[in-house]
Amino acid sequence: MITTKRGQLFSLPFIYIFGIIVAALILAFGFSSILKLTKTVDEASSSKSVEGLREKVDFYYTLEPGSKKQFKLDSAIRLPSKIEQACFVKPKSPLTSQLPDSALAPLIQNSNYNLYFLPFTSFKNTRFLVKNLEPKTNPLCIKTQGFLSFTLETKATSEKVYVEINNNN
């Protein structure tokens, strides 16, 4: 027969409590790590989407003026679901259409960025610069549902060559 001392019997509940606390800490740490990883993946996805747009603009910039293509579902740029709109602007130029968010006005006037993702709280970085890209209207805001559909057209004036973006609608 195995005999236990009286002190050993009282220490057993403390071991169980300690085990439960350690398990809870491991679960809490794991859950927070998964949330951080998901947020990082979405941020990387938005940056990758902007890079894809830059590649398309660079390609069309080298083509003859009048070159045009619609990017629809099959060739559209994929975006994280947190992004509701993509707004393209001509920095430091007068507005020709309505702003979807009043917080966008001071940003447009005081920066050189020409692409903004709305809502601004969706990610840490929601504004980007895509060289040689100009919207048809200022601003041009396109609603997104996991992807961005648009039309790119190479334009030329006597001063410059640029790629114009327009909504597919």
Side-chain angles (χ1 to χ4, degrees):
M1 179 165 151
I2 300 174
T3 59
T4 59
K5 295 182 182 175
R6 194 166 181 227
Q8 289 177 329
L9 183 63
F10 287 118
S11 68
L12 195 57
F14 292 115
I15 292 173
Y16 287 141
I17 291 171
F18 180 73
I20 290 171
I21 291 172
V22 169
L25 288 173
I26 289 172
L27 287 174
F29 177 74
F31 184 72
S32 69
S33 295
I34 289 171
L35 287 178
K36 287 178 186 175
L37 183 62
T38 304
K39 188 174 182 177
T40 303
V41 166
D42 282 347
E43 294 235 5
S45 176
S46 70
S47 295
K48 185 177 178 182
S49 301
V50 171
E51 194 56 40
L53 177 62
R54 285 182 180 138
E55 289 172 4
K56 289 178 187 333
V57 169
D58 288 344
F59 176 75
Y60 276 85
Y61 182 75
T62 61
L63 298 179
E64 291 289 321
S67 300
K68 183 177 188 179
K69 182 174 181 188
Q70 282 189 337
F71 293 91
K72 293 186 177 180
L73 279 174
D74 58 338
S75 60
I77 293 183
R78 303 228 178 269
L79 293 172
S81 60
K82 288 182 184 178
I83 297 173
E84 296 172 6
Q85 289 187 31
C87 289
F88 299 90
V89 299
K90 293 179 192 174
K92 301 176 184 170
S93 296
L95 300 177
T96 58
S97 64
Q98 186 76 20
L99 288 172
D101 189 342
S102 59
L104 191 57
L107 290 175
I108 293 171
Q109 294 169 353
N110 300 323
S111 84
N112 292 323
Y113 299 107
N114 61 353
L115 170 58
Y116 296 87
F117 289 142
L118 300 178
F120 290 122
T121 57
S122 57
F123 298 109
K124 211 184 298 184
N125 187 15
T126 57
R127 55 188 181 172
F128 301 90
L129 175 64
V130 181
K131 291 183 181 178
N132 305 313
L133 180 68
E134 291 187 11
K136 187 165 189 161
T137 60
N138 190 29
L140 171 67
C141 293
I142 302 172
K143 291 194 184 288
T144 63
Q145 290 142 357
F147 60 90
L148 179 63
S149 294
F150 54 91
T151 302
L152 290 180
E153 182 176 1
T154 307
K155 298 271 187 158
T157 63
S158 58
E159 299 94 36
K160 65 179 177 175
V161 175
Y162 62 96
V163 178
E164 182 179 84
I165 189 164
N166 196 8
N167 200 344
N168 277 341
N169 296 338

